[in-house]
Amino acid sequence: MVNAFIRDIPEELIREFLSYVLYRDRASFDSAAFAMPRTFTRNPPKRQDVDASTLLVCKQWHRIGMPLLYESVFISNMAQLKTLAATLQERPDIGPKIRRLRLKDAFGRDLPAVLSLTPNIHTLSVCTKISSRTSITGLRALLKTSVVNIAPTRLMIEPPFHWRRSSVVQENMAECLIALVSNWPDVVS
């Protein structure tokens, strides 16, 4: 009975409903709150679990909701970067759906693979508050390859970089970003 009811709902209404749960507009992506899970009073579910469970209602909801789920992606560690790279290689249809990408402590060797499979990124957010142990091999590799075909129009650097209080890794990161930005003619920060 329920499945028949769900199938009768027009796809436009399902997309509208799912957009409230899955879609991140520019303002929410730009805010620091996007990176933080919502707070709940008891047994807080993780935000991504809530998003993902919505897509399990039926195949129709999954098909309609996937582009909304992947439009804004926040990667906060190397394990997530590696998982995203594997997902994009297994499912090449997902990469073009990613429009906004926020990276924090995720600049390792899988970064070129992720960026080469996400040609439609228009907003790239980079967190420069990293430890001296953070690997930036992926950023360095981007300078040596022409495979990466992104050309973002917005670059967000958080927090603003301070040369006087930076570590060697942060300075190397800044130099890599400066070199990359020179290849993006339409970027504004």
Side-chain angles (χ1 to χ4, degrees):
M1 178 75 177
V2 173
N3 288 337
F5 172 74
I6 289 174
R7 282 193 300 265
D8 291 340
I9 300 172
E11 287 195 7
E12 296 82 14
L13 289 177
I14 295 170
R15 180 173 168 71
E16 186 69 22
F17 165 74
L18 291 176
S19 70
Y20 286 103
V21 178
L22 303 173
Y23 180 73
R24 299 289 187 269
D25 62 4
R26 179 178 171 173
S28 66
F29 181 82
D30 292 353
S31 76
F34 176 72
M36 305 301 287
R38 290 187 179 174
T39 55
F40 296 89
T41 53
R42 288 188 172 174
N43 299 323
K46 293 181 180 175
R47 176 73 187 160
Q48 63 269 22
D49 293 342
V50 174
D51 294 347
S53 65
T54 306
L55 298 179
L56 297 176
V57 170
C58 64
K59 289 180 182 179
Q60 181 187 31
W61 283 34
H62 186 268
R63 179 179 48 79
I64 296 168
M66 284 298 281
L68 295 169
L69 180 66
Y70 278 96
E71 187 157 331
S72 297
V73 176
F74 176 63
I75 303 295
S76 63
N77 59 50
M78 298 295 277
Q80 289 178 346
L81 183 66
K82 185 175 185 168
T83 300
L84 180 61
T87 300
L88 294 175
Q89 288 168 352
E90 290 173 14
R91 299 270 318 270
D93 60 307
I94 293 174
K97 292 175 173 67
I98 298 176
R99 310 279 299 170
R100 298 178 196 95
L101 180 63
R102 179 176 280 185
L103 299 170
K104 178 183 179 192
D105 290 333
F107 308 103
R109 61 185 164 93
D110 293 307
L111 185 60
V114 167
L115 293 181
S116 68
L117 296 169
T118 53
N120 296 326
I121 290 177
H122 62 69
T123 302
L124 181 62
S125 175
V126 177
C127 179
T128 61
K129 190 175 182 180
I130 58 175
S131 74
S132 59
R133 296 181 311 241
T134 300
S135 171
I136 61 166
T137 57
L139 278 177
R140 287 190 182 125
L142 289 175
L143 298 175
K144 298 175 185 174
T145 182
S146 60
V147 175
V148 177
N149 56 353
I150 68 165
T153 55
R154 291 182 65 227
L155 175 63
M156 299 167 49
I157 298 176
E158 310 168 57
F161 189 77
H162 298 287
W163 286 98
R164 280 184 255 158
R165 298 184 306 217
S166 63
S167 68
V168 173
V169 174
Q170 287 173 317
E171 288 176 12
N172 290 337
M173 174 189 226
E175 290 169 2
C176 289
L177 287 173
I178 289 167
L180 289 171
V181 168
S182 67
N183 296 320
W184 299 333
D186 300 327
V187 76
V188 294
S189 57

